[in-house]
Amino acid sequence: MGTVVDDAASMEFHAFFERHYAELSRLAHLLTGEADAADDLAADALLALWHRWDRVRAADHPVAYARGVVANLARTRIRSAVRERRRVSLFWAQREERTENPDIAGVVDVQEALRRLPFRKRACVVLRHAFDLSEKDTALALGVSVGTVKSQTSKGMAELQKALGSAGGPQKVHAAMARGGETGGTAR
């Protein structure tokens, strides 16, 4: 008997999907301004509705409920985009500096050593030493805690010093990364 109810619910949901998908996609497009994301948001909303279909179909206005889900997903997407833009602008906010006669070999060595670091350590080291961001700004840019920035930067610098075999590691790394843009390379 459960199969009959499940089949009926499935058919009912399918009909709801066919009737309202385009409208929900259009709503998502108007809320976010992103045509490419609209179909994904509508599909995500309908998937969420399917998981709660027993409650949704019992609601007085299932379409209104669906619109609310789309609106919430769109709001989340917009907030995520704003956070990402803030992180990117914080990253690029530092002024560009030029150095005469850069130590190209040193820059290449540091960049190679950076590539060997795991991403989070590399990101912390680069933001702290190449871009002179504070621990707080680095944490904000990476979406981690200040404690994580401290520990990952410390561990990353220790690994770089070991890889580069230099006594003046932090100064050499800082100087090489600050000049790194002039060789055409980037710390990935």
Side-chain angles (χ1 to χ4, degrees):
M1 188 167 197
T3 306
V4 173
V5 174
D6 290 344
D7 287 343
S10 179
M11 289 175 53
E12 187 179 343
F13 178 78
H14 182 69
F16 181 87
F17 181 96
E18 292 294 325
R19 247 188 337 269
H20 299 289
Y21 176 78
E23 171 194 347
L24 295 173
S25 180
R26 190 171 71 245
L27 173 62
H29 179 229
L30 291 171
L31 291 175
T32 64
E34 299 176 25
D36 295 341
D39 286 336
D40 291 341
L41 286 173
D44 289 347
L46 285 162
L47 179 62
L49 292 176
W50 172 247
H51 289 298
R52 299 183 213 112
W53 187 243
D54 288 341
R55 281 186 271 157
V56 173
R57 69 193 251 201
D60 291 335
H61 302 285
V63 176
Y65 186 86
R67 289 180 189 137
V69 172
V70 169
N72 287 334
L73 289 173
R75 181 181 309 116
T76 300
R77 183 175 184 86
I78 290 167
R79 286 180 179 164
S80 294
V82 168
R83 280 193 303 272
E84 183 64 21
R85 281 188 211 115
R86 284 183 187 148
R87 288 179 183 144
V88 168
S89 69
L90 179 63
F91 183 79
W92 291 110
Q94 301 296 321
R95 65 182 171 10
E96 208 174 299
E97 298 176 11
R98 294 280 177 201
T99 304
E100 290 185 34
N101 303 319
D103 178 9
I104 295 173
V107 170
V108 171
D109 290 345
V110 169
Q111 288 178 340
E112 186 57 38
L114 279 169
R115 282 188 195 98
R116 287 188 227 125
L117 290 178
F119 177 79
R120 187 173 286 172
K121 287 179 187 173
R122 183 181 341 143
C124 288
V125 168
V126 168
L127 290 173
R128 292 282 293 126
H129 292 282
F131 289 88
D132 293 321
L133 293 185
S134 69
E135 290 167 342
K136 182 179 176 186
D137 288 341
T138 300
L140 178 65
L142 297 176
V144 298
S145 70
V146 172
T148 299
V149 169
K150 288 178 181 182
S151 109
Q152 294 294 296
T153 303
S154 175
K155 290 175 183 176
M157 288 302 293
E159 288 180 36
L160 282 175
Q161 280 183 292
K162 185 178 177 183
L164 296 170
S166 64
Q171 292 82 12
K172 182 178 179 180
V173 169
H174 181 81
M177 283 192 289
R179 291 188 300 257
E182 295 176 30
T183 64
T186 59
R188 294 181 195 187

